[in-house]
C-alpha cells in the first residue's frame, strides 16, 4: 500500500513537472497581454455623519460579476476615498451610499466639481433617508441645474440588459416607486441618483439581506452592470 | 647641417629643422645589439677558419671585414634602431583677422555704417600695423553664416558688403582655428558688433579656448531707430468654419526715448485687401508688446495675410516692418469611428475630449458580451445592439480607432480599411489594451503588416514611465503644447505616468517615433507613440498607457488650454488632413521660408493603386512672384516613394512649387504647394553692440576688447615675437636608403673578391 502510494505520488509529480515544462515551452515566444488599467470603483468618504461605509461587499460583487460576465479586468476591492484626497483622480467612477446626512465641506465643493467636469462620474445609491441631503448638496454643486428624472426608455436601462419598466425596485423603503435622477452637463451624465430602489443592497453578499432572493439579487446585479457600462461608454 | 645630413640619409625629421641633439635608441635596448654581435661574430670568424681552399691572409682579412660589417649592419637593424631627434620648432606663426559681414554691420552711427568703419580701419593700415608688430601678415576671413578666406588683393580692393543674413560667431571662430591649427595661432582678432543670431552661444562655447580671441568693435552703438514686427509660430493650417488665433510681437528701439510711449498701427491685409488695423502702444526701449487677432476660416483654399507697421524716418531697416503668413483652410473632416473590444476609460476620455470640438462626431462600438455591443453615437449612449454593422459608418469615417477589437470582428472590412487608408481617405489610430495585438489576432494579417512595428516578441512591460519628446523641435503640431521648445519637452515629460508599455521586436525602418518613453526595452528606450504611412494614409500607434489619467488628472491651464483634449483632437485632425493629392503629394515643413535658408521639399509618389513608387523621376518647378523660375530635380530617399530636394530662395514673396512625377517617361501626376518667402530680420532683432559679451569672451580667452578708435591698444598687447617649442621626433633608421644599399652592396663585394681570388 505504502509502495503503491509512493509510486502514485512519483507518477503524479512527474506528470505535473512535465505539464509545467510543456506549458512553459508553449508559452515561450508567445505574446502576453497586460495586467493593467483594472476597473476600480471607489466609495466616496463623505462628511455629514451618514454611514458612507455601508454595504462593503456591494462594489466588489459588482466588479466580480463585470469580470465574470464581460471579461473586464477589474480590481474587486472595497476602496474608500475622501473628496480632498489627491487619489480621487485615480478613480473615474465613484459610488456613494448610506443612510442619513451627506455633506460636502466648502473646500470640497471645488474638488468634486473639478472631478466631475474633468470626466468623473458619481453614482449615489440612497439606502434610506439621504434624499433631502443629496438634493441640498447637488444644489450647492450646481445651483443653476435641477435633477432630471430618467424616463423608462433612457439608454441606462437598456445598454446591456433591458429593463422595460425602467429602474427596478430591490428594497421597499417608503412604499414609493423607484426613481432615477441625473445631472447632465453638455449631454454627459455627471451624477446619477437612485431613490427608492437600493440597488446597492441587492448587490451585497447572499444572506446579508434575507429578503433579497437570488432573483432579486440578479436584477440588482444586471442594473448595476448597466450603470457601469453606461458610465464607461458616455 | 644635421638636418641636411639626415635628409641625405633619407631620414625625415619633420618640422624640426634646428636640431639641438640626436640620440640613438634600440627597441630592445643596447644589450640586445651586443648580445646579437656576441653570437654572430664568433660564428663568422670560425666559418672562415674552415675555408676549403688555400687563401692569402690579405684576402682572408678583406673577406672577414666585409662579412663582419654586413653582419653588424644586419644585427643593428634587427634590434630596431631609432634616432631621437630633438629641436626647436616655431610656434604661433599665424594671426587671424575675421571681418563680420552680416547685415547688422550695416547699422549706422553718425551717418556711417559699422561696416564703413571696418573699411576705414583696414584702409588705415590695421593689417600692416599688425604685421609690423608681430612679423606675421594676418590671414583675413569674412564671416556671417559661413566663413570665407579673403586674399590680400581682395583686401586691397575691399569689395565686401554686409549682406549676410545670419551671424554664427562660435562656428566661425571654430572653423578658422581648425583651419589654421590651434597651436599655430598667435591670436584671433574679430572685427564685429557681437550680434550672434545662430548656432551656439559664443559666451558658453568659446570661454575654454586656448587661442586668445580679441575683438575690435566698429563704433560705440550709435543712434538707433527701429520698429520690428514679428509673428510667433504663424498658423499653417485652418479648419473650415473655425477661427485661428494669430499672435505676434511689436517693438520699438529708439535711442534716447526709453520710456516715451508711442502709438502705432499694425495694418493686416488679406489677399491684398485691408482686413484689420490693430493699434499698439510701444516704448522706445525695445520691449516687445504682444498683439493677436483672429483669422476666420470660412472658405476653403490658401490665403495670404500680410502685416505691416509704418516706417519711421531714418529707420535702421524697414525689412522687419512687415511680415506675413500663408494659411491653408481645409474642410473639417473629423468623423471618428472607434471599435473597442471592451468599454474602457481610455475611450471614455477620448470621447470627452472630442465632444469639446463642435466639428467632431464619434461613433463608438464596444463589445461587452458575445451577443451584445454597446453603442455611443454623437457622444450619446444609445441602446445596445446584438449584431453591429460597421459598413456605412466605416465609409463615412475619417478616422478609425482600433481599441482592443479582436481581428475577427473587422476581418470582413479589412480590404476596405486598407484601400481607404492607402488612398488617404482614412487615418488609423491604434490604442493599447490589456490584450496584445497577437492575442487579438492581428499577427500576419494585412492590417498587422501595415502597422509601424513588427508584431514579434510582443512583451508587456508593466513599468510606469513618462513620455519623452525625442527632439527639441517636433514637426507635429499636436505635440506642441508650449511655444518654447524646452518648456514643451518638460511639459510632455511631466504628464501623468503611464502604467506600462508594449515592447516589440522592432520598429519598422520607415516608421517615425513621435514620442519615446523612459522605459528600457530589450534594445533601447521603448517608443510610446509611433507613426507610419500606408500609401497616402497615416497610422499612429500608441504602445503605452493608460492615457486617460492625462485627461482626467490635468486641469485646464491658465490659458484655458486643455493639454489632453488639444493633443487628442489635433492628432486626429492631423491624421486625416495630411495628404492632398491622389498620386503625387508635396510635404513642406513650413509654408513660410526665408531668403538664403534651405527649405526641404519632400514629394511622395504612388501609382494608381496607391502603392508608393521607387525609381520615379520628380522635378520641381519653383515660380517666384517676380516671374523667376527655377527647376530642381529631386533625389530618391531611403523611404520608399519619397523624393527630396532643397530649395534656397533668393527673393522674397509668394513662390509656387509644382512637383511633376514621371515613371519610364509617363507622367504619374503633379501637385502644387505655396511657400511665402520673407527676408530674415533676425540680424536687426538686437541692434545694439554687444560689448559686454565680447569683453567677457576676450577676458576668458586671454584676449582684449577694444573699440575701433583704440586699436593701438590691441596691437600693443600682442606678443611681437612668435614663440617656439622644443619638439622630439623618433626616426626609424631602417627607413634609410643608405643602409639598404650597404646591405645589398656588401654581399656583392664579397662575391667579387671571392671570384677574383679564385674561390668561387
Amino acid at each position: 500500500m505504502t509502495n503503491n502510494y509512493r509510486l502514485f505520488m512519483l507518477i503524479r509529480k512527474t506528470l505535473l513537472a512535465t505539464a509545467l515544462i510543456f506549458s512553459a515551452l508553449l508559452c515561450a515566444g508567445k505574446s502576453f497581454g497586460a495586467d493593467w488599467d483594472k476597473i476600480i470603483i471607489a466609495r466616496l468618504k463623505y462628511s455629514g455623519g451618514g454611514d458612507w461605509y455601508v454595504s462593503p461587499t456591494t462594489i466588489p460583487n459588482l466588479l466580480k460579476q463585470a469580470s465574470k460576465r464581460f471579461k473586464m479586468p477589474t480590481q474587486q476591492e472595497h476602496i474608500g476615498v475622501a473628496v480632498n484626497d489627491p487619489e480621487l483622480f485615480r478613480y473615474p467612477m465613484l459610488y456613494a451610499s448610506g443612510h442619513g446626512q451627506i455633506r460636502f465641506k466648502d473646500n470640497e465643493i471645488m474638488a468634486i466639481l473639478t472631478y466631475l467636469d474633468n470626466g468623473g462620474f458619481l453614482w449615489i445609491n440612497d439606502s434610506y433617508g439621504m434624499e433631502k441631503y443629496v438634493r441640498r448638496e447637488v444644489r450647492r454643486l450646481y445651483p443653476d441645474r435641477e435633477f432630471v428624472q430618467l424616463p423608462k426608455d433612457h439608454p441606462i436601462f437598456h445598454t446591456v440588459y433591458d429593463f422595460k419598466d425602467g429602474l427596478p425596485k430591490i428594497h421597499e423603503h417608503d412604499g414609493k416607486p423607484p426613481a432615477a435622477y441625473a445631472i447632465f452637463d453638455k449631454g454627459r451624465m455627471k451624477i446619477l441618483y437612485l431613490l427608492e430602489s437600493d440597488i446597492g443592497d441587492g448587490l451585497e453578499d447572499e444572506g446579508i439581506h434575507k429578503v433579497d432572493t437570488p432573483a432579486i439579487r440578479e436584477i440588482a446585479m444586471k442594473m448595476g452592470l448597466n450603470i457601469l457600462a453606461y458610465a464607461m461608454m458616455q | 647641417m644635421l638636418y641636411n645630413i639626415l635628409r641625405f640619409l633619407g631620414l625625415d625629421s619633420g618640422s624640426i629643422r634646428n636640431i639641438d641633439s640626436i640620440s640613438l635608441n634600440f627597441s630592445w635596448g643596447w644589450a640586445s645589439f651586443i648580445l646579437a654581435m656576441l653570437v654572430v661574430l664568433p660564428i663568422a670568424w670560425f666559418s672562415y677558419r674552415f675555408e676549403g681552399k688555400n687563401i692569402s691572409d690579405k684576402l682572408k682579412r678583406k673577406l672577414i671585414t666585409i662579412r663582419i660589417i654586413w653582419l653588424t649592419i644586419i644585427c643593428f637593424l634587427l634590434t630596431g634602431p631609432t634616432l631621437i631627434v630633438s629641436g626647436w620648432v616655431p610656434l604661433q606663426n599665424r594671426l587671424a583677422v575675421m571681418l563680420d559681414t552680416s547685415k547688422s554691420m550695416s547699422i549706422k552711427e553718425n551717418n556711417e555704417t559699422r561696416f564703413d568703419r571696418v573699411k576705414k580701419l583696414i584702409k588705415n593700415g590695421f593689417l600692416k600695423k599688425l604685421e609690423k608688430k608681430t612679423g606675421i601678415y594676418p590671414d583675413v576671413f569674412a564671416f556671417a553664416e559661413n566663413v570665407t578666406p579673403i586674399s590680400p588683393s581682395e583686401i586691397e580692393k575691399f569689395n565686401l558688403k554686409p549682406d549676410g543674413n545670419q551671424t554664427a560667431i562660435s562656428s566661425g571662430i571654430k572653423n578658422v582655428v581648425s583651419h589654421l591649427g590651434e597651436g599655430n595661432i598667435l591670436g584671433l582678432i574679430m572685427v564685429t558688433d557681437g550680434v550672434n543670431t545662430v548656432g551656439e552661444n559664443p559666451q558658453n562655447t568659446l570661454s575654454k579656448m586656448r587661442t586668445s580671441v580679441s575683438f575690435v568693435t566698429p563704433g560705440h552703438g550709435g543712434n538707433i531707430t527701429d520698429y520690428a514686427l514679428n509673428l510667433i509660430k504663424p498658423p499653417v493650417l485652418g479648419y473650415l468654419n473655425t477661427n485661428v488665433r494669430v499672435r505676434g510681437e511689436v517693438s520699438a528701439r529708439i535711442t534716447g526715448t526709453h520710456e516715451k510711449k508711442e502709438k502705432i498701427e499694425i495694418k493686416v491685409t488679406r489677399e491684398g485687401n485691408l482686413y484689420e488695423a490693430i493699434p499698439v502702444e510701444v516704448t522706445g526701449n525695445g520691449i516687445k508688446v504682444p498683439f493677436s487677432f483672429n483669422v476666420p476660416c470660412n472658405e476653403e483654399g490658401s490665403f495670404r495675410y500680410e502685416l505691416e507697421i509704418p516706417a519711421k524716418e531714418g529707420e535702421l531697416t524697414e525689412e522687419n516692418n512687415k511680415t506675413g503668413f500663408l494659411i491653408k483652410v481645409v474642410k473639417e473632416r473629423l468623423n471618428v469611428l472607434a471599435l473597442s473590444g471592451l468599454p474602457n476609460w481610455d475611450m471614455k476620455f477620448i470621447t470627452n475630449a472630442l465632444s469639446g470640438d463642435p466639428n467632431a462626431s464619434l461613433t463608438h462600438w464596444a463589445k461587452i458580451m458575445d451577443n451584445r455591443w454597446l453603442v455611443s453615437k454623437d457622444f450619446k449612449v444609445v441602446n445596445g445592439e446584438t449584431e453591429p454593422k460597421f459598413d456605412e459608418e466605416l465609409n463615412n469615417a475619417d478616422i478609425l480607432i482600433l481599441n482592443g477589437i479582436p481581428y475577427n470582428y473587422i476581418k470582413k472590412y479589412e480590404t476596405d480599411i486598407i484601400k481607404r487608408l492607402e488612398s488617404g481617405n482614412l487615418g488609423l489610430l491604434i490604442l493599447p489594451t490589456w490584450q496584445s495585438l497577437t492575442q487579438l489576432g492581428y499577427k500576419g494579417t494585412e492590417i498587422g503588416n501595415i502597422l509601424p512595428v513588427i508584431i514579434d516578441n510582443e512583451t508587456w512591460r508593466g513599468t510606469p514611465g513618462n513620455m519623452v519628446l525625442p527632439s527639441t523641435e517636433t514637426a507635429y503640431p499636436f505635440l506642441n503644447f508650449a511655444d518654447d521648445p524646452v518648456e514643451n519637452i518638460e511639459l510632455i515629460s511631466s504628464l501623468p505616468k503611464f502604467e506600462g508599455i508594449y515592447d516589440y521586436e522592432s520598429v519598422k525602418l520607415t516608421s517615425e517615433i513621435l514620442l519615446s518613453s523612459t522605459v528600457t526595452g530589450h534594445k533601447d528606450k521603448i517608443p510610446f507613440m509611433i507613426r507610419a504611412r500606408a500609401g497616402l494614409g497615416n497610422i499612429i500607434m500608441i504602445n503605452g498607457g493608460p492615457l486617460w489619467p492625462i485627461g482626467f488628472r490635468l486641469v485646464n491651464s491658465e490659458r484655458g488650454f486643455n493639454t489632453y483634449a488639444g493633443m487628442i483632437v489635433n492628432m486626429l485632425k492631423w491624421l486625416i488632413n495630411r495628404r492632398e493629392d491622389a498620386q503625387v503629394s508635396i510635404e513642406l515643413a513650413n509654408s513660410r521660408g526665408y531668403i538664403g535658408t534651405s527649405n526641404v521639399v519632400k514629394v511622395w509618389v504612388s501609382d494608381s493603386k496607391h502603392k508608393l513608387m521607387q525609381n520615379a523621376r520628380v522635378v520641381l518647378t519653383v515660380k517666384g512672384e517676380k516671374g523667376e523660375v527655377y527647376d530642381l530635380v529631386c533625389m530618391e530617399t531611403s523611404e520608399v516613394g519619397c523624393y527630396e530636394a532643397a530649395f534656397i530662395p533668393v527673393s522674397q514673396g509668394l513662390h509656387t512649387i509644382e512637383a511633376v512625377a514621371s515613371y519610364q517617361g509617363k507622367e504619374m501626376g503633379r501637385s502644387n504647394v505655396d511657400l511665402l518667402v520673407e527676408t530674415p530680420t533676425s540680424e536687426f532683432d538686437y541692434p545694439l553692440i554687444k560689448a559686454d559679451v565680447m569683453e567677457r569672451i576676450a577676458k576668458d580667452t586671454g584676449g582684449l576688447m577694444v573699440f575701433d578708435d583704440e586699436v593701438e591698444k590691441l596691437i600693443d598687447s600682442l606678443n611681437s615675437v612668435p614663440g617656439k617649442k622644443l619638439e622630439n621626433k623618433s626616426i626609424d633608421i631602417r627607413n634609410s636608403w643608405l643602409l639598404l644599399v650597404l646591405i645589398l652592396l656588401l654581399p656583392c663585394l664579397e662575391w667579387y673578391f671571392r671570384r677574383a681570388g679564385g674561390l668561387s
Side-chain angles (χ1 to χ4, degrees):
Chain A
M1 181 67 186
T2 314
N3 284 342
N4 283 345
Y5 178 72
R6 278 186 186 154
L7 184 66
F8 167 74
M9 287 304 286
L10 186 70
I11 291 168
R12 211 178 79 158
K13 279 179 184 171
T14 313
L15 282 173
L16 190 67
T18 315
L20 282 172
I21 293 166
F22 192 62
S23 316
L25 285 171
L26 272 178
C27 293
K30 266 197 170 181
S31 140
F32 291 94
D35 181 24
W36 71 323
D37 200 21
K38 289 183 176 172
I39 311 289
I40 312 171
I41 302 173
R43 293 190 72 122
L44 186 66
K45 288 199 230 173
Y46 53 82
S47 317
D51 48 348
W52 66 267
Y53 42 81
V54 70
S55 314
T57 56
T58 299
I59 295 302
N61 282 344
L62 178 71
L63 292 174
K64 196 175 172 184
Q65 286 302 312
S67 188
K68 191 178 168 189
R69 299 183 194 199
F70 304 156
K71 295 182 177 62
M72 252 179 200
T74 61
Q75 192 171 319
Q76 298 143 27
E77 282 178 53
H78 173 74
I79 296 169
V81 62
V83 179
N84 272 339
D85 192 333
E87 291 289 292
L88 183 75
F89 285 84
R90 284 188 61 191
Y91 314 106
M93 185 167 171
L94 290 177
Y95 174 76
S97 188
H99 309 79
Q101 181 159 219
I102 175 170
R103 184 169 182 85
F104 299 125
K105 291 173 190 161
D106 287 345
N107 60 357
E108 289 176 340
I109 293 287
M110 191 46 75
I112 201 148
L113 275 175
T114 308
Y115 172 87
L116 295 170
D117 288 348
N118 269 19
F121 179 76
L122 173 62
W123 167 19
I124 306 172
N125 177 74
D126 192 336
S127 264
Y128 189 71
M130 291 179 83
E131 187 179 2
K132 68 175 180 183
Y133 306 113
V134 168
R135 287 187 184 279
R136 181 192 66 199
E137 293 310 299
V138 167
R139 207 168 295 123
R140 283 178 71 209
L141 285 170
Y142 296 103
D144 57 338
R145 233 157 275 190
E146 288 292 330
F147 266 135
V148 175
Q149 187 166 358
L150 301 181
K152 289 174 188 174
D153 61 351
H154 190 272
I156 202 163
F157 304 121
H158 310 279
T159 49
V160 189
Y161 302 103
D162 268 326
F163 287 91
K164 285 176 188 163
D165 299 324
L167 186 68
K169 185 138 184 119
I170 305 299
H171 268 194
E172 189 61 65
H173 287 156
D174 288 331
K176 292 177 187 169
Y181 298 96
I183 292 285
F184 288 92
D185 185 20
K186 292 173 191 161
R188 184 166 67 83
M189 188 190 287
K190 289 183 169 177
I191 302 174
L192 173 70
Y193 173 49
L194 303 185
L195 182 65
E196 293 287 339
S197 169
D198 212 345
I199 300 287
D201 274 7
L203 294 176
E204 281 205 82
D205 279 352
E206 195 176 359
I208 290 181
H209 301 282
K210 293 214 167 79
V211 289
D212 292 344
T213 62
I216 288 177
R217 292 181 67 248
E218 175 61 14
I219 290 170
M221 183 57 72
K222 283 180 172 174
M223 188 60 219
L225 291 171
N226 264 13
I227 295 167
L228 174 64
Y230 181 89
M232 295 187 81
M233 281 301 286
Q234 63 158 352
Chain B
M1 176 72 177
L2 278 171
Y3 174 75
N4 289 330
I5 292 170
L6 287 176
R7 280 199 69 181
F8 172 73
L9 294 174
L11 301 171
D12 182 21
S13 65
S15 58
I16 305 172
R17 285 168 181 252
N18 297 321
I19 297 171
D20 200 46
S21 64
I22 292 182
S23 62
L24 182 64
N25 259 357
F26 291 91
S27 299
W28 299 340
W30 274 101
S32 62
F33 177 64
I34 292 164
L35 201 66
M37 293 298 287
L38 286 174
V39 173
V40 172
L41 289 182
I43 294 169
W45 181 265
F46 279 107
S47 66
Y48 279 97
R49 295 193 61 173
F50 299 105
E51 193 73 60
K53 293 179 182 176
N54 283 333
I55 181 170
S56 69
D57 284 349
K58 193 180 171 190
L59 183 62
K60 194 185 250 179
R61 277 197 298 274
K62 213 183 271 178
L63 289 173
I64 286 174
T65 307
I66 290 170
R67 192 163 287 189
I68 285 173
I69 292 171
W70 188 80
L71 284 169
T72 307
I73 292 171
I74 293 293
C75 287
F76 180 68
L77 293 179
L78 282 173
T79 48
T82 48
L83 276 180
I84 307 294
V85 178
S86 170
W88 295 94
V89 291
L91 194 67
Q92 297 175 326
N93 55 351
R94 310 292 287 270
L95 185 64
V97 172
M98 296 174 70
L99 307 178
D100 186 348
T101 53
S102 67
K103 276 187 175 172
S104 63
M105 293 294 281
S106 63
I107 293 173
K108 281 184 181 174
E109 180 178 339
N110 301 328
N111 294 324
E112 196 177 27
T113 68
R114 291 173 183 172
F115 206 68
D116 287 341
R117 295 179 76 114
V118 175
K119 194 173 177 179
K120 202 188 269 178
L121 185 76
I122 300 294
K123 291 280 176 199
N124 286 343
F126 176 58
L127 300 176
K128 280 178 186 158
K129 284 177 193 168
L130 285 172
E131 187 185 11
K132 198 177 167 189
K133 179 74 197 293
T134 61
I136 307 164
Y137 187 80
D139 293 275
V140 184
F141 302 87
F143 81 99
E145 53 266 74
N146 298 310
V147 180
T148 321
I150 310 289
S151 67
S153 63
E154 283 171 310
I155 287 288
E156 202 66 36
K157 290 176 198 160
F158 209 86
N159 286 334
L160 301 173
K161 282 180 184 165
D163 53 5
N165 288 319
Q166 287 168 330
T167 317
I169 291 181
S170 296
S171 67
I173 291 179
K174 283 179 181 172
N175 281 345
V176 169
V177 167
S178 69
H179 176 67
L180 298 178
E182 189 160 15
N184 299 329
I185 304 176
L186 175 67
L188 195 148
I189 299 163
M190 295 196 93
V191 186
T192 177
D193 54 10
V195 176
N196 183 70
T197 55
V198 285
E200 299 160 333
N201 183 349
Q203 215 170 314
N204 298 336
T205 55
L206 302 178
S207 59
K208 288 175 186 165
M209 273 192 72
R210 283 188 288 150
T211 305
S212 72
V213 182
S214 297
F215 292 91
V216 177
T217 305
H220 296 259
N223 291 325
I224 291 163
T225 300
D226 190 44
Y227 284 156
L229 180 65
N230 184 33
L231 288 175
I232 304 163
K233 289 191 178 176
V236 178
L237 199 65
Y239 299 104
L240 198 61
N241 299 325
T242 61
N243 283 323
V244 174
R245 192 90 180 140
V246 182
R247 289 183 174 83
E249 290 168 340
V250 64
S251 65
R253 203 180 283 273
I254 305 161
T255 312
T257 62
H258 292 294
E259 297 303 323
K260 193 183 166 191
K261 287 186 177 173
E262 199 174 339
K263 279 182 183 169
I264 54 171
E265 196 175 67
I266 305 166
K267 200 169 84 180
V268 184
T269 56
R270 183 180 191 261
E271 295 294 310
N273 301 316
L274 183 66
Y275 169 71
E276 197 173 339
I278 308 163
V280 183
E281 203 170 58
V282 292
T283 48
N285 52 8
I287 290 175
K288 290 176 176 174
V289 180
F291 69 89
S292 59
F293 62 98
N294 278 335
V295 168
C297 305
N298 39 24
E299 58 178 311
E300 278 186 89
S302 284
F303 301 96
R304 181 178 174 177
Y305 284 82
E306 284 170 299
L307 290 86
E308 194 173 358
I309 48 174
K312 206 170 171 70
E313 199 188 328
E315 203 173 332
L316 178 65
T317 175
E318 291 179 20
E319 283 172 358
N320 58 0
N321 286 34
K322 53 189 172 186
T323 183
F325 62 94
L326 200 67
I327 185 166
K328 188 177 176 185
V329 179
V330 292
K331 194 181 166 190
E332 184 68 271
R333 294 196 299 167
L334 206 58
N335 292 326
V336 184
L337 171 64
L339 303 175
S340 299
L342 269 177
N344 55 72
W345 296 125
D346 264 350
M347 261 322 294
K348 176 201 155 56
F349 281 89
I350 286 178
T351 306
N352 285 359
L354 281 172
S355 68
D357 190 295
N359 295 302
S361 80
L362 169 75
T363 302
H364 177 203
W365 289 87
K367 183 181 155 285
I368 190 100
M369 290 193 293
D370 284 342
N371 57 352
R372 194 76 176 171
W373 289 71
L374 306 180
V375 202
S376 158
K377 288 184 178 175
D378 272 337
F379 311 106
K380 281 180 186 157
V381 184
V382 294
N383 294 349
E385 289 194 26
T386 50
E387 281 185 32
K389 283 178 186 158
F390 312 128
D391 307 59
E392 201 183 323
E393 282 151 356
L394 194 58
N395 277 336
N396 294 329
D398 302 308
I399 308 287
L400 175 64
I401 301 176
L402 296 183
N403 176 228
I405 182 89
Y407 170 72
N408 56 329
Y409 289 103
I410 57 161
K411 190 179 173 184
K412 67 173 179 175
Y413 308 106
E414 186 178 39
T415 312
D416 197 30
I417 291 171
I418 302 275
K419 212 166 140 184
R420 293 203 60 221
L421 192 60
E422 289 185 337
S423 63
N425 293 317
L426 186 74
L428 183 62
L429 174 66
I430 314 283
L431 294 177
T433 58
W434 61 282
Q435 282 185 295
S436 70
L437 290 172
T438 310
Q439 285 173 327
L440 293 166
Y442 285 94
K443 194 173 173 181
T445 64
E446 272 190 77
I447 288 184
N449 291 339
I450 59 164
L451 296 183
V453 295
I454 294 166
I455 317 175
D456 274 334
N457 293 337
E458 197 178 10
T459 317
W460 169 256
R461 310 245 176 216
T463 316
N466 286 103
M467 296 175 223
V468 178
L469 197 64
S471 61
T472 322
E473 289 281 352
T474 175
Y476 298 91
F478 56 85
L479 295 175
N480 263 326
F481 302 119
D483 293 337
D484 179 50
V486 178
E487 196 188 324
N488 193 43
I489 287 177
E490 282 170 8
L491 190 70
I492 288 176
S493 64
S494 66
L495 290 175
K497 282 178 185 281
F498 53 81
E499 279 182 31
I501 192 163
Y502 280 102
D503 189 12
Y504 292 92
E505 178 61 34
S506 60
V507 173
K508 287 179 186 165
L509 283 175
T510 49
S511 303
E512 189 181 353
I513 297 169
L514 307 188
L515 283 177
S516 184
S517 76
T518 52
V519 181
T520 307
H522 69 286
K523 281 182 185 165
D524 208 343
K525 297 289 179 199
I526 305 175
F528 182 85
M529 185 190 278
I530 321 172
R531 170 221 170 176
R533 289 189 187 88
L536 299 175
N538 275 304
I539 303 166
I540 286 184
M541 182 172 174
I542 296 173
N543 293 335
L547 289 176
W548 65 263
I550 306 172
F552 192 33
R553 291 180 202 168
L554 287 188
V555 292
N556 289 357
S557 69
E558 286 169 5
R559 290 175 290 181
F561 175 76
N562 185 316
T563 312
Y564 177 78
M567 184 177 86
I568 295 293
V569 176
N570 291 334
M571 177 175 68
L572 295 180
K573 282 179 181 174
W574 177 86
L575 263 174
I576 190 57
N577 285 306
R578 186 80 173 141
R579 298 279 175 243
E580 55 193 29
D581 187 77
Q583 290 188 40
V584 179
S585 62
I586 301 181
E587 191 176 313
L588 203 58
N590 203 329
S591 63
R592 199 164 71 144
Y594 292 102
I595 292 174
T597 307
S598 175
N599 293 274
V600 176
V601 185
K602 282 185 176 181
V603 181
W604 294 89
V605 183
S606 60
D607 62 13
S608 56
K609 291 173 186 167
H610 304 297
K611 191 181 168 193
L612 291 165
M613 286 187 66
Q614 286 176 303
N615 304 322
R617 181 181 156 79
V618 180
V619 179
L620 297 181
T621 306
V622 186
K623 288 178 188 163
E625 212 169 42
K626 292 167 190 161
E628 64 273 33
V629 179
Y630 317 95
D631 285 330
L632 298 165
V633 178
C634 291
M635 302 292 290
E636 193 163 2
T637 66
S638 57
E639 285 185 272
V640 179
C642 181
Y643 302 80
E644 196 177 281
F647 167 56
I648 303 171
V650 292
S651 62
Q652 65 178 48
L654 194 68
H655 287 64
T656 306
I657 303 172
E658 185 182 50
V660 181
S662 54
Y663 181 70
Q664 293 180 348
K666 189 185 162 194
E667 189 178 310
M668 305 300 300
R670 51 183 68 207
S671 179
N672 290 301
V673 73
D674 289 333
L675 176 73
L676 186 65
V677 178
E678 292 193 329
T679 308
T681 55
S682 57
E683 281 291 314
F684 301 108
D685 285 351
Y686 305 99
L688 301 176
I689 283 181
K690 291 200 164 179
D692 55 334
V693 175
M694 290 187 279
E695 202 160 359
R696 204 161 304 151
I697 296 171
K699 198 179 163 191
D700 288 345
T701 59
L704 201 67
M705 199 285 288
V706 293
F707 292 102
D708 58 343
D709 46 12
E710 49 188 27
V711 284
E712 300 300 335
K713 222 193 275 182
L714 172 68
I715 294 167
D716 287 345
S717 75
L718 291 170
N719 184 359
S720 59
V721 184
K724 57 181 184 176
K725 70 168 179 178
L726 189 66
E727 209 167 80
N728 293 322
K729 187 173 165 82
S730 165
I731 306 168
D732 194 337
I733 294 176
R734 285 172 293 193
N735 291 332
S736 168
W737 63 269
L738 188 68
L739 287 172
L740 178 71
V741 170
L742 280 173
I743 288 169
L744 295 173
L745 193 70
L746 288 172
C748 295
L749 202 64
E750 188 184 341
W751 174 79
Y752 169 76
F753 284 129
R754 291 178 77 89
R755 193 165 176 82
L759 291 173
S760 57

